[in-house]
PDB file of all heavy atoms in Angstrom:
ATOM      1  N   GLN D 596      12.147  51.975 -25.818  1.00 92.00           N
ATOM      2  CA  GLN D 596      10.697  51.843 -25.889  1.00 92.00           C
ATOM      3  C   GLN D 596      10.032  53.212 -26.015  1.00 92.00           C
ATOM      4  O   GLN D 596       9.135  53.403 -26.834  1.00 92.00           O
ATOM      5  CB  GLN D 596      10.174  51.103 -24.664  1.00 92.00           C
ATOM      6  CG  GLN D 596       8.674  50.879 -24.690  1.00 92.00           C
ATOM      7  CD  GLN D 596       8.158  50.226 -23.417  1.00 92.00           C
ATOM      8  OE1 GLN D 596       8.864  50.139 -22.413  1.00 92.00           O
ATOM      9  NE2 GLN D 596       6.907  49.785 -23.463  1.00 92.00           N
ATOM     10  N   LEU D 597      10.481  54.168 -25.227  1.00 93.00           N
ATOM     11  CA  LEU D 597       9.930  55.530 -25.283  1.00 93.00           C
ATOM     12  C   LEU D 597      10.097  56.127 -26.679  1.00 93.00           C
ATOM     13  O   LEU D 597       9.150  56.657 -27.260  1.00 93.00           O
ATOM     14  CB  LEU D 597      10.624  56.430 -24.253  1.00 93.00           C
ATOM     15  CG  LEU D 597      10.218  57.896 -24.291  1.00 93.00           C
ATOM     16  CD1 LEU D 597       8.876  58.086 -23.628  1.00 93.00           C
ATOM     17  CD2 LEU D 597      11.271  58.761 -23.627  1.00 93.00           C
ATOM     18  N   TYR D 598      11.300  55.995 -27.227  1.00 94.00           N
ATOM     19  CA  TYR D 598      11.571  56.596 -28.529  1.00 94.00           C
ATOM     20  C   TYR D 598      10.809  55.886 -29.651  1.00 94.00           C
ATOM     21  O   TYR D 598      10.332  56.532 -30.585  1.00 94.00           O
ATOM     22  CB  TYR D 598      13.077  56.601 -28.814  1.00 94.00           C
ATOM     23  CG  TYR D 598      13.473  57.740 -29.712  1.00 94.00           C
ATOM     24  CD1 TYR D 598      13.567  59.039 -29.219  1.00 94.00           C
ATOM     25  CD2 TYR D 598      13.725  57.538 -31.056  1.00 94.00           C
ATOM     26  CE1 TYR D 598      13.908  60.098 -30.044  1.00 94.00           C
ATOM     27  CE2 TYR D 598      14.071  58.589 -31.895  1.00 94.00           C
ATOM     28  CZ  TYR D 598      14.163  59.868 -31.388  1.00 94.00           C
ATOM     29  OH  TYR D 598      14.488  60.909 -32.209  1.00 94.00           O
ATOM     30  N   ALA D 599      10.679  54.571 -29.540  1.00 94.00           N
ATOM     31  CA  ALA D 599       9.920  53.826 -30.549  1.00 94.00           C
ATOM     32  C   ALA D 599       8.459  54.278 -30.554  1.00 94.00           C
ATOM     33  O   ALA D 599       7.872  54.503 -31.613  1.00 94.00           O
ATOM     34  CB  ALA D 599      10.020  52.323 -30.291  1.00 94.00           C
ATOM     35  N   GLN D 600       7.873  54.448 -29.366  1.00 94.00           N
ATOM     36  CA  GLN D 600       6.498  54.923 -29.293  1.00 94.00           C
ATOM     37  C   GLN D 600       6.378  56.342 -29.860  1.00 94.00           C
ATOM     38  O   GLN D 600       5.436  56.639 -30.597  1.00 94.00           O
ATOM     39  CB  GLN D 600       5.995  54.913 -27.848  1.00 94.00           C
ATOM     40  CG  GLN D 600       5.633  53.551 -27.334  1.00 94.00           C
ATOM     41  CD  GLN D 600       5.021  53.621 -25.944  1.00 94.00           C
ATOM     42  OE1 GLN D 600       5.089  54.639 -25.257  1.00 94.00           O
ATOM     43  NE2 GLN D 600       4.423  52.521 -25.523  1.00 94.00           N
ATOM     44  N   ALA D 601       7.319  57.205 -29.497  1.00 94.00           N
ATOM     45  CA  ALA D 601       7.299  58.582 -29.998  1.00 94.00           C
ATOM     46  C   ALA D 601       7.377  58.591 -31.524  1.00 94.00           C
ATOM     47  O   ALA D 601       6.646  59.332 -32.193  1.00 94.00           O
ATOM     48  CB  ALA D 601       8.443  59.390 -29.390  1.00 94.00           C
ATOM     49  N   PHE D 602       8.245  57.777 -32.067  1.00 95.00           N
ATOM     50  CA  PHE D 602       8.399  57.691 -33.512  1.00 95.00           C
ATOM     51  C   PHE D 602       7.101  57.212 -34.180  1.00 95.00           C
ATOM     52  O   PHE D 602       6.674  57.765 -35.195  1.00 95.00           O
ATOM     53  CB  PHE D 602       9.552  56.742 -33.863  1.00 95.00           C
ATOM     54  CG  PHE D 602       9.763  56.592 -35.339  1.00 95.00           C
ATOM     55  CD1 PHE D 602      10.463  57.545 -36.065  1.00 95.00           C
ATOM     56  CD2 PHE D 602       9.241  55.501 -36.016  1.00 95.00           C
ATOM     57  CE1 PHE D 602      10.641  57.410 -37.439  1.00 95.00           C
ATOM     58  CE2 PHE D 602       9.416  55.357 -37.385  1.00 95.00           C
ATOM     59  CZ  PHE D 602      10.123  56.314 -38.096  1.00 95.00           C
ATOM     60  N   LEU D 603       6.477  56.200 -33.598  1.00 94.00           N
ATOM     61  CA  LEU D 603       5.242  55.652 -34.168  1.00 94.00           C
ATOM     62  C   LEU D 603       4.095  56.666 -34.160  1.00 94.00           C
ATOM     63  O   LEU D 603       3.320  56.741 -35.101  1.00 94.00           O
ATOM     64  CB  LEU D 603       4.813  54.403 -33.397  1.00 94.00           C
ATOM     65  CG  LEU D 603       5.641  53.149 -33.628  1.00 94.00           C
ATOM     66  CD1 LEU D 603       5.225  52.058 -32.647  1.00 94.00           C
ATOM     67  CD2 LEU D 603       5.490  52.667 -35.067  1.00 94.00           C
ATOM     68  N   VAL D 604       4.003  57.442 -33.114  1.00 94.00           N
ATOM     69  CA  VAL D 604       2.859  58.331 -32.936  1.00 94.00           C
ATOM     70  C   VAL D 604       3.079  59.728 -33.533  1.00 94.00           C
ATOM     71  O   VAL D 604       2.145  60.505 -33.663  1.00 94.00           O
ATOM     72  CB  VAL D 604       2.480  58.389 -31.434  1.00 94.00           C
ATOM     73  CG1 VAL D 604       3.351  59.339 -30.669  1.00 94.00           C
ATOM     74  CG2 VAL D 604       1.036  58.713 -31.258  1.00 94.00           C
ATOM     75  N   ARG D 605       4.285  60.046 -33.944  1.00 93.00           N
ATOM     76  CA  ARG D 605       4.645  61.398 -34.392  1.00 93.00           C
ATOM     77  C   ARG D 605       3.721  61.945 -35.478  1.00 93.00           C
ATOM     78  O   ARG D 605       3.170  63.039 -35.351  1.00 93.00           O
ATOM     79  CB  ARG D 605       6.090  61.423 -34.883  1.00 93.00           C
ATOM     80  CG  ARG D 605       6.511  62.769 -35.423  1.00 93.00           C
ATOM     81  CD  ARG D 605       7.928  62.733 -35.998  1.00 93.00           C
ATOM     82  NE  ARG D 605       8.319  64.016 -36.502  1.00 93.00           N
ATOM     83  CZ  ARG D 605       8.068  64.452 -37.740  1.00 93.00           C
ATOM     84  NH1 ARG D 605       7.428  63.683 -38.575  1.00 93.00           N
ATOM     85  NH2 ARG D 605       8.462  65.640 -38.118  1.00 93.00           N
ATOM     86  N   ASP D 606       3.554  61.219 -36.578  1.00 91.00           N
ATOM     87  CA  ASP D 606       2.732  61.726 -37.684  1.00 91.00           C
ATOM     88  C   ASP D 606       1.272  61.923 -37.268  1.00 91.00           C
ATOM     89  O   ASP D 606       0.629  62.885 -37.677  1.00 91.00           O
ATOM     90  CB  ASP D 606       2.806  60.799 -38.888  1.00 91.00           C
ATOM     91  CG  ASP D 606       4.163  60.836 -39.573  1.00 91.00           C
ATOM     92  OD1 ASP D 606       4.931  61.793 -39.342  1.00 91.00           O
ATOM     93  OD2 ASP D 606       4.473  59.892 -40.329  1.00 91.00           O
ATOM     94  N   THR D 607       0.765  61.013 -36.456  1.00 93.00           N
ATOM     95  CA  THR D 607      -0.602  61.124 -35.958  1.00 93.00           C
ATOM     96  C   THR D 607      -0.738  62.373 -35.089  1.00 93.00           C
ATOM     97  O   THR D 607      -1.723  63.114 -35.199  1.00 93.00           O
ATOM     98  CB  THR D 607      -0.986  59.868 -35.157  1.00 93.00           C
ATOM     99  OG1 THR D 607      -0.804  58.719 -35.981  1.00 93.00           O
ATOM    100  CG2 THR D 607      -2.415  59.932 -34.663  1.00 93.00           C
ATOM    101  N   PHE D 608       0.259  62.621 -34.250  1.00 94.00           N
ATOM    102  CA  PHE D 608       0.222  63.793 -33.372  1.00 94.00           C
ATOM    103  C   PHE D 608       0.302  65.083 -34.193  1.00 94.00           C
ATOM    104  O   PHE D 608      -0.427  66.040 -33.930  1.00 94.00           O
ATOM    105  CB  PHE D 608       1.362  63.718 -32.349  1.00 94.00           C
ATOM    106  CG  PHE D 608       1.305  64.822 -31.326  1.00 94.00           C
ATOM    107  CD1 PHE D 608       0.210  64.972 -30.486  1.00 94.00           C
ATOM    108  CD2 PHE D 608       2.368  65.701 -31.191  1.00 94.00           C
ATOM    109  CE1 PHE D 608       0.162  65.985 -29.539  1.00 94.00           C
ATOM    110  CE2 PHE D 608       2.337  66.716 -30.242  1.00 94.00           C
ATOM    111  CZ  PHE D 608       1.235  66.855 -29.414  1.00 94.00           C
ATOM    112  N   ILE D 609       1.161  65.106 -35.198  1.00 92.00           N
ATOM    113  CA  ILE D 609       1.273  66.310 -36.046  1.00 92.00           C
ATOM    114  C   ILE D 609      -0.055  66.605 -36.732  1.00 92.00           C
ATOM    115  O   ILE D 609      -0.502  67.760 -36.767  1.00 92.00           O
ATOM    116  CB  ILE D 609       2.416  66.163 -37.061  1.00 92.00           C
ATOM    117  CG1 ILE D 609       3.763  66.303 -36.341  1.00 92.00           C
ATOM    118  CG2 ILE D 609       2.304  67.195 -38.176  1.00 92.00           C
ATOM    119  CD1 ILE D 609       4.960  66.019 -37.195  1.00 92.00           C
ATOM    120  N   ARG D 610      -0.718  65.585 -37.262  1.00 89.00           N
ATOM    121  CA  ARG D 610      -2.019  65.807 -37.900  1.00 89.00           C
ATOM    122  C   ARG D 610      -3.052  66.300 -36.882  1.00 89.00           C
ATOM    123  O   ARG D 610      -3.857  67.179 -37.185  1.00 89.00           O
ATOM    124  CB  ARG D 610      -2.500  64.533 -38.593  1.00 89.00           C
ATOM    125  CG  ARG D 610      -1.813  64.292 -39.932  1.00 89.00           C
ATOM    126  CD  ARG D 610      -2.484  63.201 -40.750  1.00 89.00           C
ATOM    127  NE  ARG D 610      -2.509  61.903 -40.100  1.00 89.00           N
ATOM    128  CZ  ARG D 610      -1.485  61.042 -40.077  1.00 89.00           C
ATOM    129  NH1 ARG D 610      -0.361  61.335 -40.675  1.00 89.00           N
ATOM    130  NH2 ARG D 610      -1.597  59.884 -39.462  1.00 89.00           N
ATOM    131  N   LEU D 611      -3.004  65.759 -35.666  1.00 92.00           N
ATOM    132  CA  LEU D 611      -3.911  66.202 -34.615  1.00 92.00           C
ATOM    133  C   LEU D 611      -3.676  67.676 -34.291  1.00 92.00           C
ATOM    134  O   LEU D 611      -4.611  68.469 -34.213  1.00 92.00           O
ATOM    135  CB  LEU D 611      -3.733  65.347 -33.351  1.00 92.00           C
ATOM    136  CG  LEU D 611      -4.459  65.888 -32.120  1.00 92.00           C
ATOM    137  CD1 LEU D 611      -5.952  65.654 -32.247  1.00 92.00           C
ATOM    138  CD2 LEU D 611      -3.914  65.274 -30.863  1.00 92.00           C
ATOM    139  N   VAL D 612      -2.411  68.046 -34.116  1.00 93.00           N
ATOM    140  CA  VAL D 612      -2.071  69.435 -33.783  1.00 93.00           C
ATOM    141  C   VAL D 612      -2.481  70.373 -34.912  1.00 93.00           C
ATOM    142  O   VAL D 612      -3.014  71.460 -34.673  1.00 93.00           O
ATOM    143  CB  VAL D 612      -0.568  69.560 -33.449  1.00 93.00           C
ATOM    144  CG1 VAL D 612      -0.152  71.024 -33.333  1.00 93.00           C
ATOM    145  CG2 VAL D 612      -0.255  68.810 -32.158  1.00 93.00           C
TER     146      VAL D 612
END
Side-chain angles (χ1 to χ4, degrees):
Q596 182 184 12
L597 175 78
Y598 208 76
Q600 283 185 346
F602 179 81
L603 287 171
V604 81
R605 177 184 180 273
D606 290 342
T607 304
F608 186 60
I609 286 173
R610 282 192 300 279
L611 170 73
V612 170

